[in-house]
Every structure is written in structure tokens, then in C-alpha cells.
Amino acid sequence: MLDANLTQQLKAYMVNIREPIELVASLGDDAKSRELGELLNEIAALSDKVSVVAGSDKRVPSFLIRRTGTDIGVRFAGIPLGHEFTSLVLALLQVGGHPSREAQDLLEQVRNLDGDFAFETYFSLSCQNCPDVVQALNLMAVLNPRISHTAIDGGLFKDEVDSRKVMAVPTVFLNGEPFGQGRMELGGIVAKLDSGAEAKAAEKIKAKDPFEVLVIGGGPAGAASAIYAARKGIRTGVVAERFGGQVLDTMGIENFISVSHTEGPKLAAQLEQHVKDYDVDIMNLQRAEKLIPAKFEGGLHEVVLANGASLKSKTIILSTGARWRQMGVPGEDEYRNKGVAYCPHCDGPLFKGKRVAVIGGGNSGVEAAIDLAGIVAHVTLIEYDSDLRADAVLQRKLASLPNVKIITSALTTRVDGDGEKVSGLVYKDRNTGIEHDVALEGIFVQIGLVPNTEWLKDSIALSNRGEIEIDARGETSQPGIFAAGDATTVPYKQIVIAMGAGSTAALSAFDYLIRLPEPVAEAA
């Protein structure tokens, strides 16, 4: 099951196992059970602290990683390779007594959670968002004896997925009831369970002294800004709704100069670690809701957060990024994660053998259609313009696929469903005005991005597309407030461009600070 490279990596990690663990295998006579049995025996052969024992669970194939002689453990239903291989490695280490690197106060919160929590997470092996959720819940189960977690490969347990109406991954159930969908980090999960967590976080933030540079956003632009500011030796803070931003939703990255290939979650983790190498105050899982510019040059700007706390700083760098653009048609919101999806890599495997549509004929849309064509029964690509906008090489590949239909000059007007899941869509032919029905089970929307700037519309100048207007130095319409990345008017929304823009904004903020006159008291 494991190639030589993965075997060597795993062996190196497993020297960190401190306590004996058992791999309790629930296997049948099917091919997947044989594969899982082979994998577990290969793992056990790498450490004298690991053994394989027979078990019995309702899900076959599955296995429990259990600390010998205890109830501490986590369960995987399926074969956790692909994106979940890291989850498997961490589970082995943490059940085996290796400490987590998460913040100690957060770990203590998990240990102190009061209640019985049985979590189940449905994932797909191609989902880059799933490992964060699986790893967070696994860690919680290791830390707190009243928490359990089973990670389930949705592609392997299709009947279960269908019966529970799981149409997007990751999907989490708590005590048999829906708990959440999409990427979630440990802090966010704990906050949902601990009713006092938000108030505690707000009080902690309120007590902070003013910053010299406060970065809003934790994507590539925000990370670069924070690093460049901190290297100047000035007091730097970062507020991020989720550190990594849109990069977390990106699968393969092959145009990041000097790195021939990486993946979004991996790059996001590297960005965060690089920022943590410096003295930067990172406030993750915090959403900014209001910007109050200083009343005079050299005064303090204020950022109000969703939890009611506020932060002040001499300069601000706005790097709030962008999000997937929605179609804005009836039925889209109603059937979001019930057939309407935005990540083909994550959710594609759940539509195996079904009919889907891809909305958008740019590179993202055509790439999504090509990927999905290898999984689903049929793909209908719908493009508003008269021609596809994707690169020629992608269009040629798409045209060669027998189970793809391309419709141009089409406007999607409605998403239909049966109350529980998508059943089709309606589009209007822009040449004739005639509407057409398309019967299908899934719709993947790939029509570009929207800047996350709605909260700024009364504070700084925005373009007619909602982008923050900046000059070549990253300066906005307000002195002392700078911006960088996909939320701005900079052309070409690319990771490498965002990083450069973030560096520019930080250098400009530092230049602004050193040229300020002597401090004066804030006006009443």
C-alpha cells in the first residue's frame, strides 16, 4: 500500500510514539478490507509500539487507533490516504502520547468542555479542506474522554452518504445531528461548543495595546505584510477570519515561482508558520466588521470586530481577499451544499455516476469540467458569453471528452430541487430568449471572485466592482491605511502578486510611520 518514500516518512514520524497503541481492525472479505488490512500491517511493522488486533464495528472496513489499555482513540472508516494521510499520521502520534503543537490555552479549553460529544465527519480523499476538520476532531477525542470521533470516507460509504443526504464535504454530525459543513479549525469548533469562548476572546482582545501596523486578513498578502512589518521591529498584529484565506480552497499550485508544485493548505500552513517565526500577534477566527479611520493624520485607526471588541493601530493594512462569486439566482442559497457546490475537488467524488453542470467557461470552469468528467456520468458546461474564455489547451482537452456538453450564450436563471437536494437548473438562451430545463444532481459554480470589502464601503474609496482603490504604494484614500491583494484594484489576482503587494504595503506603512510628526493626543 505504501511506497518506499511514504514508508520512510512514516517510520521517521513513528519514533515519536510514546505509548503503545493498537490498530483495532474491522474487516470483511471485500477488496477494500484487504487493502486496509495490508496498510495496517505495514504500519505496525514500522514500530514495536504498534500492534494490529481484530475488532467489530458497524462500518466495514474501518479501524480504531486506541491507546493500549485505555478508551483513548479515534476511528477511521475507510482507507485514509490521499489528503488524509497526514490525518492518519497525526492520529497515530497523538493517540500514542505525542503532544500537540496547538496553543496550550486552546488545548485546555478542549479538556474542560462539559458534555458528551460523538462526532462523525464525512470526507473525500481528494478534499483539501477535510484534513483540518478531521485532525481537529481527532485531537479533541484524544484530549477529552467524553469526546469521540469517526472520520468516514464518503466515497466508500455511499449508501450512508445518500441516506444522510451528505452532498458536500467535510460534513460533520454531532450526536447524530448536523453540526457543520466546510473547513473548520480547532478554535472555531471549540467556540461553537463553549458558549463563553467568544466573550473570553473579546475581553482578551480589548486589553491589547495599540499596534503600529495592524493587518486585516491572513492570506498571502496579509502574511507578507505581517512578515515585512515585523522585520522592521515594529509592533505588528494580524486579524484573520481564517488564516490562509482563499488559498485554503486551492488545489494544485504550479505557478508559484521557485516551487514547481504545491497545494493550497500546505502553502497556507507554511505562510502561518513563517509569520509565527516573528513577533506577530495573530488573532485568528476573528471577523472585522467596521473600520473607523483616525480623525487626524498620526492618530489611531480603529477596527471593530464581530465579537464586539476593537483594536487600534497607527497604520492599517487591508488584505481581506475575495470569495467565490455566486450566481444570485433563485434556489442557489436554498440548495447550497445540497447539490450547489463551489469546490469540484472537494465535492466531486460525492457525485460519482451522476449528472452535473459547471457554470463558467473561464480557466476555473473548464478545469472543473475536465476533472469532473472523469468522475461523474455527464457534465454540462454553461457559459454566459458566446465563446469559452479558458486557455486554448484546456478547451481542446474539454472538447475531446465524450461525456461533456458545452452550452454558450446561456444565462442560468434558476436552480430547481425537491426540497432536499438539487434536481436541475433552468437557463435562458441569450440569442433566442427561450428557456431550457436541464435535469441533474449537482451544480458547480465557477464564475470568479468577489472582494470581501462590503464592511469598508463607508470608510474608504472603493471601485464600482467593490475593490479597494490603491496607488502604486498600496495607499488608500485614507492616510495611514494601506491595502494589498485580491481585495484591491491591482490587476491579475495571483498568489505571487498578492505577496508582492503585501510587501509593498508594509514597506509603505513603515515609511509612513517614520515620517510622522511627534505624537499628539487623540482628539476627543
Side-chain angles (χ1 to χ4, degrees):
M1 286 291 294
L2 299 176
D3 60 29
N5 183 45
L6 282 179
T7 299
Q8 284 303 114
Q9 288 183 43
L10 187 54
K11 186 175 183 179
Y13 283 122
M14 290 176 67
V15 299
N16 294 305
I17 294 177
R18 301 178 179 182
E19 304 285 343
I21 60 176
E22 298 170 330
L23 307 179
V24 186
S26 300
L27 306 175
D29 296 327
D30 57 289
K32 287 296 182 182
S33 289
R34 290 192 292 273
E35 286 181 32
L36 179 56
E38 180 183 345
L39 173 64
L40 298 181
N41 285 316
E42 287 182 13
I43 292 171
L46 299 178
S47 172
D48 59 5
K49 285 189 168 67
V50 182
S51 59
V52 179
V53 299
S56 177
D57 186 71
K58 64 180 181 180
R59 295 186 180 95
V60 174
S62 69
F63 67 102
L64 174 69
I65 305 175
R66 181 174 65 198
R67 188 176 300 173
T68 304
T70 75
D71 293 328
I72 298 172
V74 299
R75 182 177 294 278
F76 287 94
I79 306 173
L81 296 177
H83 284 291
E84 292 300 337
F85 182 70
T86 301
S87 301
L88 170 61
V89 174
L90 284 174
L92 291 167
L93 296 180
Q94 290 166 356
V95 174
H98 187 66
S100 169
R101 297 174 63 183
E102 290 282 356
Q104 288 303 310
D105 57 346
L106 183 55
L107 299 180
E108 198 58 31
Q109 263 188 283
V110 175
R111 294 187 184 98
N112 292 331
L113 286 173
D114 185 20
D116 295 308
F117 307 103
F119 286 101
E120 297 167 298
T121 301
Y122 290 89
F123 67 86
S124 72
L125 295 177
S126 60
C127 169
Q128 72 269 27
N129 291 323
C130 296
D132 280 356
V133 179
V134 171
Q135 290 163 26
L137 291 171
N138 279 350
L139 177 58
M140 291 174 67
V142 171
L143 293 171
N144 189 322
R146 299 178 68 182
I147 299 174
S148 66
H149 180 228
T150 300
I152 307 159
D153 182 355
L156 197 56
F157 293 88
K158 286 291 293 177
D159 291 344
E160 197 171 321
V161 162
D162 291 340
S163 68
R164 300 184 86 167
K165 299 179 177 63
V166 176
M167 302 191 72
V169 289
T171 291
V172 180
F173 286 81
L174 171 58
N175 298 334
E177 298 297 324
F179 176 77
Q181 287 182 319
R183 177 182 292 275
M184 291 178 280
E185 297 179 350
L186 179 61
I189 296 170
V190 173
K192 288 184 72 172
L193 300 175
D194 183 355
S195 59
E198 186 174 41
K200 293 173 189 174
E203 287 303 314
K204 190 175 180 180
I205 289 172
K206 287 178 183 176
K208 294 181 184 292
D209 293 329
F211 293 92
E212 291 177 284
V213 174
L214 180 62
V215 181
I216 311 299
S225 296
I227 290 167
Y228 265 74
R231 284 175 61 87
K232 294 296 186 181
I234 56 181
R235 179 167 160 74
T236 304
V238 176
V239 171
E241 192 165 351
R242 57 170 188 161
F243 205 99
Q246 190 79 2
V247 167
L248 291 166
D249 302 325
T250 304
M251 187 66 168
I253 299 170
E254 297 178 343
N255 57 356
F256 186 50
I257 311 306
S258 83
V259 179
S260 58
H261 177 83
T262 188
E263 294 178 346
K266 181 179 179 180
L267 177 58
Q270 291 170 329
L271 288 173
E272 185 170 7
Q273 184 54 55
H274 196 174
V275 173
K276 287 180 176 178
D277 288 343
Y278 296 92
D279 186 16
V280 176
D281 188 345
I282 299 176
M283 293 156 278
N284 199 14
L285 304 177
Q286 300 297 330
R287 187 174 77 252
E289 284 198 338
K290 186 177 183 180
L291 171 64
I292 305 173
K295 297 177 181 178
F296 56 90
E297 189 167 4
L300 293 175
H301 308 286
E302 183 177 0
V303 175
V304 181
L305 306 183
N307 63 14
S310 65
L311 294 162
K312 293 185 177 182
S313 181
K314 292 181 180 179
T315 63
I316 302 282
I317 297 176
L318 301 167
S319 56
T320 49
R323 63 187 183 277
W324 292 115
R325 184 182 298 277
Q326 295 183 262
M327 295 182 290
V329 301
E332 181 178 16
D333 284 339
E334 181 182 354
Y335 292 104
R336 185 183 178 97
N337 294 325
K338 298 177 182 178
V340 176
Y342 300 85
C343 179
H345 301 295
C346 302
D347 300 331
L350 299 177
F351 293 85
K352 184 177 181 179
K354 297 181 179 180
R355 302 161 299 176
V356 304
V358 173
I359 312 300
N363 281 349
S364 296
V366 172
E367 287 173 356
I370 293 169
D371 288 345
L372 290 165
I375 302 171
V376 304
H378 188 269
V379 179
T380 301
L381 186 143
I382 297 177
E383 164 58 30
Y384 179 83
D385 287 340
S386 56
D387 297 296
L388 300 183
R389 294 168 286 107
D391 295 342
V393 63
L394 294 175
Q395 292 193 44
R396 287 194 295 270
K397 174 64 177 176
L398 184 69
S400 73
L401 301 175
N403 62 335
V404 174
K405 179 180 181 180
I406 301 169
I407 302 174
T408 57
S409 298
L411 172 65
T412 304
T413 58
R414 189 175 76 242
V415 173
D416 290 332
D418 61 7
E420 294 184 344
K421 60 183 183 300
V422 165
S423 61
L425 64 76
V426 178
Y427 75 87
K428 181 172 70 175
D429 186 318
R430 295 178 56 238
N431 295 319
T432 65
I434 299 174
E435 288 195 334
H436 301 268
D437 294 298
V438 180
L440 42 73
E441 290 76 39
I443 301 169
F444 290 85
V445 183
Q446 301 283 289
I447 54 175
L449 301 171
V450 177
N452 297 315
T453 58
E454 291 87 351
W455 63 288
L456 296 169
K457 62 182 180 180
D458 295 324
S459 304
I460 57 174
L462 304 177
S463 72
N464 56 9
R465 298 178 62 181
E467 298 169 325
I468 303 168
E469 293 183 349
I470 59 171
D471 64 14
R473 295 168 56 87
E475 295 175 322
T476 71
S477 60
Q478 291 284 354
I481 299 179
F482 305 83
D486 289 2
T488 74
T489 50
V490 66
Y492 313 120
K493 314 303 187 186
Q494 299 289 310
I495 292 170
V496 68
I497 291 174
M499 287 182 173
S503 306
T504 297
L507 292 173
S508 296
F510 178 71
D511 186 67
Y512 173 87
L513 287 169
I514 63 175
R515 297 174 187 277
L516 283 176
E518 289 297 316
V520 294
E522 181 76 78

